[in-house]
Amino acid sequence: MKAIAGLALALAAGLTTVFGGPTLLEAWLPAFLLWTQLAVGSLGVLAIGHLLREDWLAPIRPPLEAAAHSLPVLALMAIPVLLAVETLYPWAAPEAGPQQGPRTLLLEPLAFRLRAIGYLLLWAVLGRALARPGRHQRLSALTLTLLIPSAVLAAHDWVLSRDPAWFASLQGFAIWVEGLAGALALAILAAQQAPPRAEGLPGLERALLTLALTVLWLWFTQFIVVWMADRPEEADWYLRRLGDWGWVQLGVALPALLLAIALAAPPDHGRWRMSAVCLLLLAQHVAHLWWVVRPDAPSAAPPPWLDLLVAGGLGFAWVVWWDAEHRRRPAAA
């Protein structure tokens, strides 16, 4: 099944690159970013659990390890993004001309592609190493040391550079933390057949609540920093998203996050409440990602059905790969 999923994904990536056009490529980008963040977030949660020797890691370790092993699939998903840089990123378009300022060398198609290949290769190597049996405290420390800067730089390259004037320092880190929260939520939902032991449940509850609060704090802090700095180019970034796209953040992402925090705050979660918190965190993650990525599209936004179709197709290929890896791993203790 892994081979079939990989071949189908490679074929879809090739056809999208050659025949897809700007609309299909624009639908491909946020779908690629969504599944990449969940896979890389799984690697981060796995490293944090090992490093802190948390009891809550045991029941969700198999799905996290399977997700960390799925990182090679991201290389196939990345093909249209890397080959169509000039279509997806305004600074790379031929008519844009050379970039000015401190990011001149960064915003260059060849450098962009080389960095992306480096990120994907690094994450695949770390995922394979960390998904082995046993405790990996030292390896987890090394993983986080390499993962945090690479994930933040990837967020700036793949997401935030769509607006070359945007220099927000916390936004890339916020995107990575959102990936951690989404990956933890997905792993808990996947491990529902093996609920955490009593000694691990409080830690899992605290982890969900901590990540949700951190996401909210990073959103608020970044907005306040931009507001106080009164920089027109950064204010424009928010104004574009509070117009036609304001309902995505204010009507979906923010209410889902606040409700998740309200449900996660009281201790002693039941299964239904923990599942609800996880679903709400995943919903806010998807909505916020589209809210950040889509308003800076250089071409017309694709219809919602195309977004759903592409995200679902890439997700299906990722889940098939993940499921094959998950079945190979021992059941949670």
Side-chain angles (χ1 to χ4, degrees):
M1 290 296 292
K2 287 173 57 177
I4 295 174
L7 289 173
L9 185 56
L11 179 62
L15 292 175
T16 299
T17 304
V18 177
F19 303 108
T23 303
L24 183 55
L25 289 167
E26 184 60 39
W28 189 284
L29 177 63
F32 158 71
L33 293 171
L34 171 63
W35 297 107
T36 298
Q37 285 188 327
L38 292 176
V40 176
S42 297
L43 180 58
V45 174
L46 191 61
I48 292 171
H50 277 301
L51 186 64
L52 301 180
R53 294 192 176 187
E54 291 285 357
D55 292 324
W56 52 255
L57 180 61
I60 62 173
R61 182 172 175 175
L64 289 174
E65 290 180 343
H69 253 280
S70 72
L71 286 163
V73 179
L74 305 181
L76 298 175
M77 293 186 187
I79 291 173
V81 178
L82 299 185
L83 295 182
V85 175
E86 292 81 2
T87 302
L88 293 170
Y89 296 89
W91 53 263
E95 62 272 14
Q99 295 296 313
Q100 304 296 325
R103 294 204 287 183
T104 301
L105 296 178
L106 293 177
L107 299 184
E108 196 277 325
L110 179 59
F112 177 94
R113 292 183 175 106
L114 291 176
R115 288 197 302 273
I117 293 171
Y119 302 146
L120 294 169
L121 181 60
L122 172 65
W123 298 338
V125 171
L126 292 175
R128 182 164 293 275
L130 202 59
R132 295 175 300 172
R135 292 279 188 175
H136 306 295
Q137 276 194 294
R138 292 183 180 179
L139 179 60
S140 295
L142 175 63
T143 296
L144 289 174
T145 301
L146 297 173
L147 182 62
I148 294 175
S150 62
V152 171
L153 288 173
H156 278 278
D157 277 356
W158 297 344
V159 181
L160 303 176
S161 76
R162 301 247 283 178
D163 180 0
W166 177 246
F167 283 92
S169 57
L170 285 178
Q171 196 71 269
F173 183 71
I175 290 172
W176 180 70
V177 174
E178 279 190 46
L180 291 180
L184 179 60
L186 191 62
I188 292 172
L189 292 174
Q192 283 294 342
Q193 68 275 16
R197 294 172 296 179
E199 62 269 24
L201 186 58
L204 199 56
E205 294 172 353
R206 288 196 300 269
L208 279 172
L209 179 60
T210 300
L211 287 173
L213 288 171
T214 304
V215 170
L216 181 63
W217 179 81
L218 288 170
W219 285 3
F220 178 75
T221 302
Q222 185 61 63
F223 181 80
I224 291 298
V225 168
V226 171
W227 182 273
M228 294 180 65
D230 195 22
R231 293 173 58 91
E233 63 275 12
E234 295 187 354
D236 286 344
W237 190 90
Y238 278 101
L239 290 175
R240 285 196 302 276
R241 286 157 177 79
L242 294 176
D244 293 340
W245 291 90
W247 67 272
V248 178
Q249 179 73 348
L250 300 179
V252 180
L254 184 59
L257 181 60
L258 293 177
L259 185 56
I261 292 172
L263 288 175
D268 301 324
H269 295 183
R271 176 172 292 195
W272 74 267
R273 186 149 58 96
M274 183 168 283
S275 297
V277 171
C278 293
L279 290 172
L280 287 167
L281 287 177
L282 286 171
Q284 70 82 23
H285 176 52
V286 173
H288 186 258
L289 177 64
W290 257 258
W291 182 79
V292 171
V293 174
R294 185 50 56 73
D296 289 326
S299 58
W305 65 265
L306 185 58
D307 273 329
L308 291 173
L309 181 64
V310 175
L314 296 190
F316 180 77
W318 186 82
V319 168
V320 169
W321 188 288
W322 172 89
D323 184 63
E325 288 290 341
H326 189 244
R327 291 174 184 275
R328 294 175 54 237
R329 303 193 172 274

